[in-house]
Amino acid sequence: MLTLQRLNCDSSWLISTPEAHLVIDPWFEGVQKNGPGWFNTQWLPDYSPGYKALPNSFSVFVAFPFTDHFHAETVQQLNAKGAEVVLGFKGPKAYSNTIHKQGNIGPFYLEKIGGHFLHSGWIIEVGGKRIFYTPHGFSSGNNRMPEGVDMWIGAVGGYVLPFWLGGEIALGFKVHQKTLHAMNPKYFTRTHDLQKPGKGLVAKFGKSQQLTDEQDSILSQDSRFIPLLAGQTFIIP
C-alpha cells in the first residue's frame, strides 16, 4: 500500500509505504524569506499538520533550493530528529547528501526529468508505483514525457513575476492541461499554486493566476483529480 499525505497548504508531502516514509519539501513553521525581508517574505495562510503528522522514522528529500521548498528552520528540526536529509541540488555543506539526476533514498528511487531547471520534475518510484512531482509545472524540453505515472503532484495555477525578478515561475492551467493530456497519469493532484500572504517586492509585483470558474469546473469534473487539503491522505491503488 502506498499513501500520499499533504502536510501543508503549499507543497509539503509525505509518501509512505508500510516500511518507509519520505517527506518532500517540508515547511512547517515560521516565515519563508528569499534574501532580505523587503525582497520577499511569505507565510503559510492555513492549518498545517506538519510535525504532528510525521511517523517516528522518515527521510527528507528537498527537490528545489528555493526557501519555500528548502525551509531552513524546518529542515534543521527534522535533521535534529534524526532524519536523513537529501537534496536534489548542491546545497550547504551541512547537507552533503545529494541526488543530481537519479539515485535512491532507502527504497525510494528518484530521477530528475525535464529540460528547464525550474520547470523540471522528479519521478519518485517505490513498490512498483510512480509519482511525478512538478511544483512549478513541467516543461519536458528535449527530454521524454514520463510514462506510467500513478500520481502526478503538480502546480495547476500560474505565477508570474517581472523578468527582472525571475519571470514565469509556475506555468499555469493551459500548460497543465497540455501536460495532463500527454502524460495521462492515473491520478493527479495540485500543489504549490495557492496564494500565500506576503510582503516585499515579490508580493508587490507577483501575479498569481488563480483558476477561473470554467477552469475550476474542468478540473473538478476530471475523475482522475484528487483534491487534497492540508492533512488529508490518499491511498494510491
Side-chain angles (χ1 to χ4, degrees):
M1 183 176 68
L2 183 64
T3 62
L4 176 69
Q5 183 177 15
R6 190 166 192 169
L7 296 179
N8 68 9
C9 60
D10 192 43
S11 200
S12 299
W13 296 88
L14 174 64
I15 302 170
S16 296
T17 73
E19 296 82 22
H21 309 274
L22 185 65
V23 176
I24 307 293
D25 288 352
W27 173 17
F28 301 152
E29 61 176 278
V31 299
Q32 173 252 329
K33 293 183 178 181
N34 286 317
W38 57 262
F39 179 72
N40 183 38
T41 300
Q42 297 184 102
W43 50 93
L44 294 171
D46 207 345
Y47 165 74
S48 170
Y51 299 112
K52 296 179 181 179
L54 298 179
N56 292 329
S57 178
F58 56 89
S59 298
V60 173
F61 178 65
V62 182
F64 293 90
F66 316 109
T67 53
D68 48 354
H69 299 268
F70 186 25
H71 188 258
E73 292 85 354
T74 302
V75 172
Q76 288 168 5
Q77 287 284 344
L78 299 180
N79 193 33
K81 293 178 182 292
E84 176 190 18
V85 176
V86 181
L87 308 183
F89 51 90
K90 185 178 180 180
K93 293 182 179 178
Y95 304 102
S96 58
N97 290 342
T98 59
I99 296 175
H100 293 292
K101 292 185 178 180
Q102 59 187 32
N104 289 84
I105 305 175
F108 299 91
Y109 169 78
L110 293 90
E111 181 180 356
K112 190 173 185 179
I113 297 177
H116 186 286
F117 168 68
L118 187 63
H119 303 134
S120 60
W122 286 91
I123 286 286
I124 304 167
E125 187 170 340
V126 63
K129 303 292 186 181
R130 290 164 62 87
I131 295 172
F132 192 40
Y133 177 62
T134 64
H136 308 108
F138 180 63
S139 175
S140 61
N142 294 324
N143 294 266
R144 69 189 188 280
M145 184 68 69
E147 298 177 348
V149 173
D150 295 283
M151 169 61 79
W152 178 26
I153 308 171
V156 178
Y159 190 78
V160 179
L161 291 167
F163 74 92
W164 49 275
L165 281 175
E168 191 171 34
I169 305 301
L171 296 177
F173 182 78
K174 290 183 179 179
V175 174
H176 177 273
Q177 291 294 293
K178 182 179 179 180
T179 305
L180 182 66
H181 177 74
M183 181 170 29
N184 192 28
K186 290 182 180 178
Y187 301 96
F188 68 97
T189 191
R190 64 188 301 181
T191 193
H192 203 37
D193 60 2
L194 300 179
Q195 181 68 49
K196 298 187 289 289
K199 60 183 181 180
L201 284 178
V202 170
K204 181 178 180 179
F205 291 105
K207 295 182 179 180
S208 178
Q209 300 171 340
Q210 297 299 302
L211 301 191
T212 65
D213 289 343
E214 180 182 0
Q215 291 171 340
D216 193 60
S217 177
I218 291 172
L219 195 68
S220 62
Q221 291 178 24
D222 194 316
S223 61
R224 299 168 296 176
F225 176 55
I226 308 296
L228 292 173
L229 300 175
Q232 292 183 332
T233 297
F234 177 68
I235 299 174
I236 302 174

